[in-house]
Amino acid sequence: MELKHLFQASAIAAALVLAGCGGDINISEGDIDNSVTNNNNGGGDTPTTPPVEDDDRPGETSSFLSGQVSDAFGTDVEVRVLSGRLTDADADASGNIVLTNDTVWALEGPVFVGNDKADSVTLEIEEGTIVFGRTGADYLVVSRDSAIEAMGTADSPVIMTSYNDVIGDEVGAGQWGGVVILGNAPSTKCPTDGSDCALQVEGAEEGAVFGGTDETDSSGILNYVVVKYAGFEIAPDNELNGITFGGVGSGTEVDYVQVHGNADDGVEFFGGTVNAKHLVLTANQDDSVDWDNGYKGKIQYVYVQHASDNSDANRGIEGDGDGGDGLEFSQPMVANMTVVGNTFDTEDADSEGLLLRDQTGAHLMNFLITGPQGMGECLEMDTDDTVQANLSDGDLTMTYSVIACSEPFNSPEGAVDLETWFTDQEGNQLIAFEDRANLGLNIDGSLTSESMLLTAGGDASMMDTFFEANTFVGAVGEDDWRQGWAFGFGGGTIELVETTSGCPSGTTNIASVDGSTTTCEISGTITSDLTLTEGNLYALSGAVFVGGDKTDSAVLTVEPGVTVYGNSGNDYLVISRDSQIMANGTADDPITFTSRDHVIGGLEAGEAGQWGGMIILGNGYSTKCPQDGSDCSLQVEGAQEGAVFGGSDNEDNSGVLRYVRVMHGGFEIAPDNELNGITFGGVGSGTTVEYVQVHKNADDGVEFFGGAVNVKYLTLTGIQDDSVDWDNGYMGKLQFVLVKHAGDNSDANRAIEGDGDGGDGTEFSNPMVANMTVIGNTFDTADADSEGILLRDQTNAQLYNILVTGPAGMGECFEVDLSDGDTTALGNMDGTNTPQMVMQSSVLACEENINNSGDFDQQAWFTAQANNSLLDNTATVLDGIYTVDTTTATDVSTLDSFFMSVDFIGAVKDADNDWTADWTVGLED
């Protein structure tokens, strides 16, 4: 069959994150029209409903659904509805019922594959096929003796999801039923007198039964399958899970399967012996893995992440026996599992790690359990006699595992002390919560190349031959097997041409964040050009990458007036090398990157550190690049591993930032590893950056790691660390830079902190800065205070028309740090080096103008240069942000064509020439 990639499953992360593309849903060219029509712009051809064909394919064509889905995709798509029972009478010449990927398939009501142990048939689902349900009553049941063969691939997973997801409408848990697979394997609830076992499964209609005596029974194959937005409560304690395994045997293959956003459990095993590898369980609202009825399967590589917005969650594992006679109990083996919780907490449920309770044992190896402050207990065992006995007699073990939680254990009085039980077993490590940053865990749950967890694991193959040998703790080692197919990791989404909700191709419609505005989620790695259209709000979910590093490159275009927000420090945007951002706002319609709190509650609700920030990575030079001419690939600070920069092209072009505001960001991943408002890593001078503001950032406002990007019209307000930071040999030029520390005298540090950080003594940073105003405050602690300009190791600078001032109590307004004997900085000042450090036509008007660290007389150096002066009163130099000082300015246009000719010092001349007007915030404080 010749295939056409029309529906692409690209993206989340997650942190995210992520190179590679995948998840394409393929439509046969022979069956649909290849043209693409945008149904929302009023132009082009109108999609037509495909004709109803008289054929032997399963189900019936729905003209209504075909029309709805065709409208959403902007091209003709046939939707066929499956209902009732599919039996051997419906099979094709191959003897199977085949759901092909040239059609979209809808479930209507409970759809059974076969009758119970009668009329049996195999349901075959081709790679890249979409199957959806519209209500909680729509679900799929594979009966005993029948089978499902859902054979996706890493590039084209099978996607089973909700109608809303397919048409691009608001998505959420519980929008359809789920998948139920029933087999003939044992359950502890089967009759003990040897009579036939037929146990009603929860969630499905009467007659959906499971159980038997065949431990090796096969119900088919689930391979590269993504199940999203399912789960439905039929009645209390009778719910549909994402995937329910009822008495499923070990002959069934389950590998590379995800359940995302399910209203009940992600996967639940009622007895049986089915094994599974490579499970991704994300944002599920009850337990991610649940077992009972004497389940005895084996599972390896399980990644559990509770919702990043701290919404509904419960346990990573809830294990029960539920029905054994005291001798028989559940006893699965699980290896290489990661559980990352959240802060969800209500009277009925909260985010927790593992709870093992009545009549279960287990052998657990290579677990990583962690989460934020406020997550519930990470390991708990029931006081059930069986469980307590299993803790002592070796039927319940946990080895080579790591717990790093604020509440590690819950040990009821009289029960086995879990901390002692855990720490006494081989290879286990209890990490203090405040030291969890030392784990080397990326935001998306993968491990850094330096992580201690890469070699802290045990050999799971010693437990059973089912398990693969490895050395790492957690679900993901050096090879991130989630990439390209799982939702949140580069796959699993349905990419529409343009949705009826207004969300553009490559984004997913979610619940409106403000109750009225269409809200679109962006996640994972964007591997094709994407435009964020005006009129919507856009939510970052995890680490969102534009392109992979120098592969799958893409352009992210952001229209004027668009707002993009993050919900936590885990949400940030990365523009990879060879990709671009084109954010071209206007003074009337600036583009805003901000926090969810700001979007919901207004500017006053926005505080520093409420989301991550923006990272732009380029091919410009860094003094930390290898000196032997080999490829340069430097990990940027603040982002997950793989976000790299550097090269030899200082003219590289990473796009445009014009009239862009980045607000309320910044996040400390670990000490000395923080997200800035905007990080420029090796960004070249071909990039346009002008009319940009960073407001209330928890770390630096802008930081330049090498490169030569130039900036004009830069506003930095309420920054809690350095407003401008450069190092790695930065060689760019800046003009018209306004820095104003917080008006309430809260956290602040330096307006400029300049370093070289990596040069060999002859190579160092040497930017040119003209027309900068610095307005400090009185913030002062043992660790930081409000200061003006600090230049230190291996940096030079050419500074013109600078004005630094602030109230009494502000720290020093200028210093070159010579206290550690840095010979580069001293040589730049005393004329030993060429070019010499320059500061001309500048005024320092501070209580403490210059800090003479070291033996060199910096004050004499400053006053000896042309048109410099030392004052002590802000009122003599500024009126608000406007310059009133009459110092003759240096005509910097004669120094470099980048600079504009000026007749004033400082950043803003007067009200008639106020380039900050109408689009910036925070200057009135």
Side-chain angles (χ1 to χ4, degrees), residues 343-425:
T343 60
F344 179 74
D345 188 8
T346 66
E347 184 176 344
D348 298 323
D350 60 343
S351 172
E352 301 174 357
L354 275 59
L355 170 64
L356 303 183
R357 52 189 193 186
D358 69 303
Q359 298 174 311
T360 194
H363 295 297
L364 312 175
M365 179 181 278
N366 299 340
F367 271 59
L368 170 62
I369 309 172
T370 189
Q373 183 83 38
M375 176 184 172
E377 60 268 10
C378 284
L379 184 63
E380 179 182 5
M381 304 289 177
D382 202 348
T383 55
D384 171 78
D385 290 344
T386 305
V387 173
Q388 292 296 307
N390 289 343
L391 285 167
S392 303
D393 64 17
D395 283 325
L396 210 168
T397 63
M398 191 172 196
T399 57
Y400 295 98
S401 295
V402 173
I403 293 176
C405 300
S406 58
E407 186 180 353
F409 306 105
N410 182 8
S411 300
E413 185 176 351
V416 170
D417 182 78
L418 288 182
E419 181 171 348
T420 302
W421 175 85
F422 178 79
T423 55
D424 280 353
Q425 292 181 87

Side-chain angles (χ1 to χ4, degrees), residues 611-890:
W611 70 290
M614 181 187 297
I615 299 172
I616 304 178
L617 304 173
N619 296 290
Y621 181 69
S622 163
T623 50
K624 286 195 171 181
C625 285
Q627 300 301 303
D628 59 6
S630 58
D631 287 343
C632 183
S633 183
L634 304 171
Q635 174 65 37
V636 76
E637 75 172 24
Q640 66 180 44
E641 189 147 3
V644 296
F645 68 94
S648 58
D649 184 6
N650 265 355
E651 296 180 352
D652 190 32
N653 185 351
S654 295
V656 175
L657 297 180
R658 181 180 286 116
Y659 287 108
V660 170
R661 305 180 299 194
V662 178
M663 307 162 68
H664 312 303
F667 190 71
E668 183 178 67
I669 307 300
D672 298 320
N673 187 21
E674 304 95 356
L675 281 162
N676 306 300
I678 309 176
T679 299
F680 296 92
V683 178
S685 61
T687 309
T688 299
V689 182
E690 58 185 23
Y691 299 102
V692 169
Q693 179 178 22
V694 180
H695 177 65
K696 283 192 177 180
N697 203 75
D699 196 53
D700 297 341
V702 293
E703 182 160 6
F704 303 94
F705 293 95
V709 63
N710 304 317
V711 181
K712 263 187 185 142
Y713 305 113
L714 176 62
T715 305
L716 302 153
T717 46
I719 307 300
Q720 295 189 348
D721 201 353
D722 307 315
S723 295
V724 176
D725 194 332
W726 67 65
D727 45 32
N728 281 211
Y730 173 58
M731 293 291 199
K733 296 176 277 288
L734 295 81
Q735 188 176 23
F736 308 122
V737 181
L738 174 60
V739 172
K740 188 174 187 297
H741 289 170
D744 61 0
N745 294 313
S746 58
D747 292 28
N749 206 343
R750 295 147 186 151
I752 291 179
E753 180 176 284
D755 299 80
D757 192 22
D760 61 7
T762 58
E763 293 183 86
F764 39 74
S765 300
N766 190 23
M768 300 176 70
V769 184
N771 293 94
M772 181 173 186
T773 294
V774 178
I775 306 171
N777 67 17
T778 61
F779 179 74
D780 188 7
T781 67
D783 298 323
D785 60 343
S786 172
E787 299 175 357
I789 298 171
L790 172 65
L791 305 180
R792 51 190 190 187
D793 69 302
Q794 297 175 311
T795 193
N796 205 342
Q798 314 297 307
L799 309 175
Y800 304 93
N801 307 333
I802 309 296
L803 196 162
V804 184
T805 190
M810 175 184 170
E812 63 268 8
C813 285
F814 181 82
E815 177 186 4
V816 178
D817 187 1
L818 305 177
S819 60
D820 60 357
D822 177 64
T823 58
T824 306
L826 178 59
N828 292 336
M829 296 190 78
D830 67 9
T832 302
N833 296 333
T834 302
Q836 187 175 358
M837 185 182 294
V838 174
M839 192 169 188
Q840 292 182 3
S841 304
S842 297
V843 173
L844 305 179
C846 303
E847 185 177 57
E848 183 182 359
N849 278 317
I850 295 177
N851 181 15
N852 275 310
S853 61
D855 297 330
F856 185 77
D857 190 339
Q858 297 181 37
Q859 180 165 315
W861 171 87
F862 176 81
T863 56
Q865 296 182 79
N867 297 326
N868 286 350
S869 58
L870 297 172
L871 304 174
D872 61 4
N873 191 312
T874 300
T876 63
V877 292
L878 285 179
D879 178 10
I881 63 172
Y882 306 135
T883 299
V884 296
D885 183 272
T886 58
T887 296
T888 301
T890 297

Side-chain angles (χ1 to χ4, degrees), residues 502-507 526 528-534 536 538 555-559 562 582:
C503 286
S505 168
T507 70
I526 299 166
S528 58
D529 293 353
L530 171 62
T531 297
L532 306 186
T533 52
E534 194 274 335
N536 303 323
Y538 295 89
V555 176
L556 176 66
T557 300
V558 188
E559 293 185 346
V562 162
M582 305 299 290

